[in-house]
Amino acid sequence: MALKFNRWRWALLAVALAGGGLWAAAQGTSNAAYNPAKAHHTPTGFQNRYGGNEIKSQWEVIKWQATRSNPPLPDPPLPVVQPHFDVPGPSTTWLGHSTMLVQMGGLRFITDPHFSERASPVQWAGPKRIGPLPVAVNELPRLDVVLISHNHYDHLDAASVQALAAQAGGPPLFIVPLGVKAWFAEQGIQNVVELDWWDRHRVGEVEFVFTPAQHWSSRTPFDRRATLWGGFAALAPDFHLLYTGDTAYSPDFADIRAHFKAEQTQGGFDVALIPIGCYEPRWFMKNQHTNPAEAAQIHLDLGAKQSIGVHWGTLEGLCDEPLDQAPKDLAQARQALGVADNAFTTLRHGETRTWPTR
């Protein structure tokens, strides 16, 4: 096997190992929230409900890094447009990767805010943002709630949450998975609620529910799966939204549909935010990230009225497919599964889309 490492690749591998993003390190933590009555709890952390708990060995990590290609960047670059936050009714604005600003139920909230140049424990190496930010973090409208799905660096960015905590008018409420509240306390952020799967927390007219997903968590070599991961349902009289968080394909999404069936008398989720990127190489990513075909199946499993693809087109070096490949593969998946073209789409960076009320 030919090693294709250059200095950048070695730096990326070092970041991956040091950050715990890909390294199968021994767990040295204990689970303060451990409840033996819950199958996804373990004494040292958490596990998935339907498998995918295998830990990649260090040799698998090195094999992936050693055989990676460098796909060309999109030419022309992916478009970036001006957001429109002051719109009536429910709306979603994609700010890149998994960061979506949502307006519904009289609230503004954001999913997994990431505004830094890199998704990494350091800013000199690691997956790098390609293209300009649609809006700077200090130019956002005031947020009521920030949703954090898990603690990987492309979803929990220290500089971004610190900036949001310092917003004018007081900090938003951060809603996070079990175990992540302690990290926020270390940052001096106290306005935090942490949830287990299926736990609920109401803010005004919006009820937030933490939902299961098939993934994992880590920020260091010693805390793999020490904190929980998942997605969020947001339920308001005018709109129902689901953000799946990072996930592999699993029966969790049929379970989510069944769990909320009694509350959704006007049909399923109005919009689902589903990851479609970071899926290659398949042998390495399958147990943690959906590809577009699996994302389209999640759309069907949820019975969502509309879905928007996230987790793509933003960070170079995160995975192996070209940054603009996911929407192309999604188009093929829609056709293969009989999903209407307008039922599962993507947004341009910065694009705001408005939605009808329930």
Side-chain angles (χ1 to χ4, degrees), residues 301-319:
D301 290 354
L302 290 170
K305 299 174 186 175
Q306 302 276 333
S307 291
I308 299 293
V310 298
H311 202 263
W312 72 279
T314 308
L315 296 169
E316 180 190 18
L318 195 63
C319 297

Side-chain angles (χ1 to χ4, degrees), residues 277-354:
C278 198
Y279 50 92
E280 295 291 349
R282 211 68 205 114
W283 67 268
F284 194 89
M285 295 295 173
K286 184 173 178 60
N287 285 341
Q288 54 190 312
H289 289 154
T290 56
N291 63 19
E294 293 165 331
Q297 186 60 55
I298 288 174
H299 165 81
L300 294 174
D301 290 354
L302 290 170
K305 299 174 186 175
Q306 302 276 333
S307 291
I308 299 293
V310 298
H311 202 263
W312 72 279
T314 308
L315 296 169
E316 180 190 18
L318 195 63
C319 297
D320 285 6
E321 76 275 2
L323 286 179
D324 57 352
Q325 187 62 42
K328 301 172 185 177
D329 290 349
L330 179 61
Q332 294 181 353
R334 287 195 305 259
Q335 184 176 15
L337 292 174
V339 176
D341 287 349
N342 63 356
F344 194 161
T345 59
T346 58
L347 302 178
R348 295 168 293 174
H349 286 82
E351 182 177 355
T352 299
R353 185 166 298 180
T354 59

Side-chain angles (χ1 to χ4, degrees), residues 2-14 65-70 124-126 316:
L3 294 181
K4 301 178 182 179
F5 280 22
N6 53 29
R7 284 195 299 172
W8 181 89
R9 191 69 78 201
W10 277 115
L12 177 59
L13 178 59
Q65 293 295 326
T67 57
R68 294 187 71 177
S69 60
N70 291 310
W124 52 266
E316 180 190 18

Side-chain angles (χ1 to χ4, degrees), residues 234-282:
L235 310 175
D238 65 344
F239 203 67
H240 286 186
L241 177 138
L242 180 77
Y243 167 48
T244 67
D246 274 10
T247 188
Y249 180 74
S250 74
D252 286 304
F253 303 99
D255 293 347
I256 289 170
R257 181 179 187 176
H259 186 87
F260 292 106
K261 183 177 181 180
E263 296 176 73
Q264 297 187 321
T265 56
Q266 301 179 56
F269 290 99
D270 298 294
V271 169
L273 310 177
I274 303 175
I276 61 171
C278 198
Y279 50 92
E280 295 291 349
R282 211 68 205 114

Side-chain angles (χ1 to χ4, degrees), residues 110-114 144-153 155-166 171-195 210 219 223 227-228 232:
I110 200 168
T111 62
D112 291 345
H114 191 283
D144 301 290
V145 174
V146 175
L147 304 178
I148 302 295
S149 67
H150 64 296
N151 71 354
H152 285 158
Y153 284 92
H155 295 262
L156 177 53
D157 179 64
S160 298
V161 299
Q162 288 165 354
L164 292 176
L173 174 67
F174 293 87
I175 305 181
V176 307
L178 279 184
V180 177
K181 186 175 181 178
W183 180 90
F184 276 83
E186 292 171 359
Q187 314 305 308
I189 301 173
Q190 304 296 331
N191 195 26
V192 182
V193 169
E194 62 179 18
L195 302 179
F210 195 50
R219 286 181 80 82
D223 66 346
T227 64
L228 194 53
F232 289 92

Side-chain angles (χ1 to χ4, degrees), residues 39-284:
H40 65 285
H41 286 220
T42 73
T44 56
F46 303 93
Q47 62 186 357
N48 293 305
R49 301 165 76 228
Y50 292 106
N53 294 304
E54 301 82 4
I55 296 177
K56 296 294 184 185
S57 72
Q58 59 182 309
W59 302 117
E60 288 175 299
V61 175
I62 292 172
K63 174 186 173 183
W64 173 41
Q65 293 295 326
T67 57
R68 294 187 71 177
S69 60
N70 291 310
L73 294 177
D75 186 17
L78 294 170
V80 179
V81 300
Q82 180 68 35
H84 297 285
F85 300 122
D86 293 321
V87 295
S91 69
T92 53
T93 301
W94 187 48
L95 300 177
H97 201 52
S98 293
T99 304
M100 190 76 76
L101 194 149
V102 180
Q103 177 177 290
M104 57 177 281
L107 296 183
R108 282 197 181 106
F109 63 88
I110 200 168
T111 62
D112 291 345
H114 191 283
F115 296 90
S116 294
E117 182 180 5
R118 295 184 185 271
S120 169
V122 297
Q123 288 298 296
W124 52 266
K128 182 178 180 180
R129 179 178 296 274
I130 299 302
L133 282 166
V135 62
V137 64
N138 61 0
E139 297 172 337
L140 292 171
R142 190 181 187 284
L143 298 173
D144 301 290
V145 174
V146 175
L147 304 178
I148 302 295
S149 67
H150 64 296
N151 71 354
H152 285 158
Y153 284 92
D154 55 324
H155 295 262
L156 177 53
D157 179 64
S160 298
V161 299
Q162 288 165 354
L164 292 176
Q167 71 177 357
L173 174 67
F174 293 87
I175 305 181
V176 307
L178 279 184
V180 177
K181 186 175 181 178
W183 180 90
F184 276 83
E186 292 171 359
Q187 314 305 308
I189 301 173
Q190 304 296 331
N191 195 26
V192 182
V193 169
E194 62 179 18
L195 302 179
D196 199 351
W197 287 340
W198 306 123
D199 284 352
R200 295 172 175 242
H201 186 83
R202 178 175 288 276
V203 181
E205 292 188 342
V206 183
E207 188 160 34
F208 295 97
V209 187
F210 195 50
T211 55
Q214 182 173 309
H215 200 54
W216 55 289
S217 64
S218 185
R219 286 181 80 82
T220 77
F222 309 107
D223 66 346
R224 189 179 180 108
R225 297 197 177 97
T227 64
L228 194 53
W229 54 90
F232 289 92
L235 310 175
D238 65 344
F239 203 67
H240 286 186
L241 177 138
L242 180 77
Y243 167 48
T244 67
D246 274 10
T247 188
Y249 180 74
S250 74
D252 286 304
F253 303 99
D255 293 347
I256 289 170
R257 181 179 187 176
H259 186 87
F260 292 106
K261 183 177 181 180
E263 296 176 73
Q264 297 187 321
T265 56
Q266 301 179 56
F269 290 99
D270 298 294
V271 169
L273 310 177
I274 303 175
I276 61 171
C278 198
Y279 50 92
E280 295 291 349
R282 211 68 205 114
W283 67 268
F284 194 89

